[in-house]
Amino acid sequence: MCARILSDYKDDGTNVLLDANENAYGPSLNLGLNDGKSNRKADLHHPEIDFLGLNRYPDPHQAELKRLLCQFRNTHTHTTKDLAPGNLFVGVGSDEAIDALLRCFCTPGRDKILTCPPTYGMYAVSAQVNDVEVVKVPRDTKRAFQVRPEAINATLSSDPSIKLVYICSPGNPTANLVPKSDIQKVLEHPTWNGIVVLDEAYIDFSPDGASLAEWVTEWPNLVVMQTLSKAFGLAGIRLGALFASAGIARLLNNLKAPYNVSSPTSALATAALQPENLAIMRSNRAKILGQRDRMLRELPKISRIGRFLGGTASNFLLVEILDKPRDQGGKASNESAMVLYEGLAQTRGVVVRFRGKELGCEGCLRVTVGTSSEVDRLLAESRSILQHMSAEGVTVKDGGERTEGKREQKANNIIA
């Protein structure tokens, strides 16, 4: 299913959308607005979209955009080598890269990919579309959802038809960074001849230096995917980047449609990587991290809010909803999570994401970090609904266990 049913929950100023891990503070672009009036100095940094040139096809190579992406990721934290435009593939969000890798390296009906659930749903969706089987090596639910490199390597040794390993770091929906040493263990597999795909969609909410993008210059079997949809607040332009060895990047660029990135998307992405707009991104990120810390402090003060699972290295949190208050021995409950999830969306205009059917996520909601006012509303409405549930003994809508299971699965199947 799609990330959000837009006809139900619109960004119309009344709803609080904390379900798709978007950047609530908006795009990281200096739009030159000052109380509705243009700021002349800021005008100099507006994205330069050549509207009169829209009758021409866009640049198929995106050389300047790739140069800026490399400049941004060349931190020399993990290597002394530099990324170059030849190490890059850019496309329509990370999803195009996910699909391109499958089409490039997997033979339909024969090859497989490996994923580590709970994880981002598009890996499996793209595999199904391309007739590629998915092999699962679950994360360790008793160890904060860390990946299990030894188990991954054992699976790779036993099944040479696995060509790609998709690892999400920070994880979605688990928000935890995968240690660099765990990635290296898989990269160092002595016999497997495949590619490790590291999905870093949320990496800019992690500590500085966490990205392994530049590490592709050291490991020819490593690919790192990123996006401008999250920290940069540019989900609407659909721009994803894939860092890889020059050989892999060349294959993917030869495979793609000739003009897969539009001229407006390219212009906006290029503008976002300019120093003044990177400063806006970092400022918005700091606000998000501040609200994330606030949610970590304030949510547990609400009765029937349980533990935070996974990590906190992203712009969302994974939190348990309990069947009764903690001081009464409450346990994580999908039924209670569904009541809160549906109550927030249907009666309070606050949309979060139900994740209770994912491995190790019983009773869990995934909640995007919003602005200060959005977090105010989330806290107030959650408190109100949960207090009502406790006072009235509300659990689930009448409909039986079978119907309830279908409602939970439908809610859980939404991908984002």
Side-chain angles (χ1 to χ4, degrees):
M1 295 177 65
C2 65
R4 181 186 296 133
I5 302 173
L6 290 174
S7 60
D8 293 340
Y9 305 116
K10 295 180 180 179
D11 188 9
D12 59 1
T14 64
N15 294 314
V16 175
L17 304 180
L18 305 178
D19 59 323
N21 299 339
E22 295 151 323
N23 190 322
Y25 286 93
S28 299
L29 295 171
N30 187 342
L31 299 178
L33 299 179
N34 182 13
D35 296 328
K37 297 180 180 180
S38 178
N39 179 305
R40 186 178 180 188
K41 182 177 180 181
D43 280 344
L44 299 176
H45 307 304
H46 278 183
E48 295 182 2
I49 299 174
D50 180 10
F51 291 104
L52 294 179
L54 291 179
N55 60 313
R56 302 299 181 190
Y57 288 110
D59 176 8
H61 305 297
Q62 303 296 334
E64 177 61 10
L65 174 58
K66 290 178 180 179
R67 184 189 70 79
L68 290 170
L69 285 165
C70 290
Q71 180 176 292
F72 181 59
R73 293 304 181 193
N74 278 329
T75 64
H76 298 145
T77 304
H78 307 285
T79 179
T80 58
K81 298 178 182 178
D82 282 329
L83 291 162
N87 294 112
L88 265 172
F89 165 87
V90 293
V92 184
S94 297
D95 293 345
E96 182 178 358
I98 292 168
D99 181 73
L101 287 164
L102 281 158
R103 291 189 291 120
C104 189
F105 293 106
C106 295
T107 301
R110 187 181 74 186
D111 290 333
K112 305 172 185 176
I113 67 169
L114 185 150
T115 66
C116 301
T119 194
Y120 181 43
M122 279 305 298
Y123 311 141
V125 169
S126 290
Q128 183 178 17
V129 169
N130 286 283
D131 193 19
V132 173
E133 184 179 339
V134 179
V135 176
K136 300 177 181 179
V137 178
R139 290 171 176 251
D140 190 341
T141 58
K142 298 185 183 301
R143 198 169 58 93
F145 292 103
Q146 289 296 342
V147 298
R148 300 183 294 137
E150 291 80 8
I152 293 173
N153 283 347
T155 302
L156 297 177
S157 294
S158 66
D159 192 346
S161 65
I162 298 172
K163 297 299 167 59
L164 301 169
V165 174
Y166 283 93
I167 297 175
C168 197
S169 178
N172 178 9
T174 56
N176 58 327
L177 273 174
V178 177
K180 179 182 176 181
S181 58
D182 285 352
I183 301 297
Q184 185 165 344
K185 288 175 184 176
V186 183
L187 291 170
E188 290 176 337
H189 192 291
T191 59
W192 179 62
N193 186 28
I195 297 168
V196 175
V197 183
L198 191 61
D199 187 346
E200 290 189 343
Y202 301 95
I203 198 65
D204 291 305
F205 300 107
S206 303
D208 289 343
S211 174
L212 297 180
E214 64 184 5
W215 220 25
V216 303
T217 61
E218 300 285 352
W219 295 94
N221 55 336
L222 174 65
V223 162
V224 177
M225 299 187 301
Q226 296 182 352
T227 179
L228 297 191
S229 296
K230 307 302 180 181
F232 283 85
L234 291 170
I237 73 170
R238 306 300 296 125
L239 194 286
L242 179 148
F243 298 86
S245 68
I248 290 177
R250 190 178 308 113
L251 284 172
L252 295 175
N253 283 309
N254 288 338
L255 179 74
K256 75 175 180 67
Y259 309 110
N260 62 328
V261 176
S262 72
S263 297
T265 289
S266 178
L268 290 165
T270 299
L273 292 161
Q274 302 299 324
E276 61 273 13
N277 290 323
L278 287 174
I280 296 173
M281 182 273 285
R282 293 179 176 116
S283 174
N284 288 344
R285 177 181 62 185
K287 295 174 187 174
I288 290 170
L289 298 187
Q291 291 304 312
R292 183 183 71 188
D293 291 343
R294 178 186 172 206
M295 288 168 63
L296 287 167
R297 292 192 307 270
E298 298 298 325
L299 277 171
K301 296 178 183 178
I302 300 174
S303 177
R304 297 179 72 158
I305 295 288
R307 301 172 299 168
F308 294 103
L309 301 188
T312 60
S314 192
N315 70 330
F316 60 87
L317 296 169
L318 185 67
V319 62
E320 292 177 328
I321 311 301
L322 309 180
D323 58 358
K324 53 187 175 182
R326 288 185 303 275
D327 57 7
Q328 298 176 23
K331 296 181 180 179
S333 162
N334 275 353
E335 291 82 1
S336 295
M338 278 296 294
V339 172
L340 179 57
Y341 163 74
E342 293 180 336
L344 285 170
Q346 295 173 5
T347 66
R348 312 299 177 97
V350 179
V351 190
V352 297
R353 185 60 51 83
F354 176 78
R355 278 293 170 256
K357 289 294 187 180
E358 300 290 336
L359 176 71
C361 299
E362 174 77 19
C364 282
L365 299 180
R366 193 196 70 190
V367 186
T368 305
V369 178
T371 64
S372 177
S373 61
E374 288 174 337
V375 173
D376 286 344
R377 191 162 156 192
L378 167 74
L379 293 170
E381 302 294 6
S382 296
R383 182 178 291 107
S384 173
I385 292 172
L386 290 171
Q387 284 177 347
H388 173 71
M389 288 168 61
S390 295
E392 303 295 327
V394 177
T395 54
V396 300
K397 294 179 180 178
D398 187 20
E401 182 177 342
R402 192 172 190 176
T403 300
E404 180 61 24
K406 289 181 179 179
R407 285 170 55 236
E408 292 173 5
Q409 194 61 59
K410 182 179 179 180
N412 196 85
N413 285 345
I414 300 172
I415 295 172

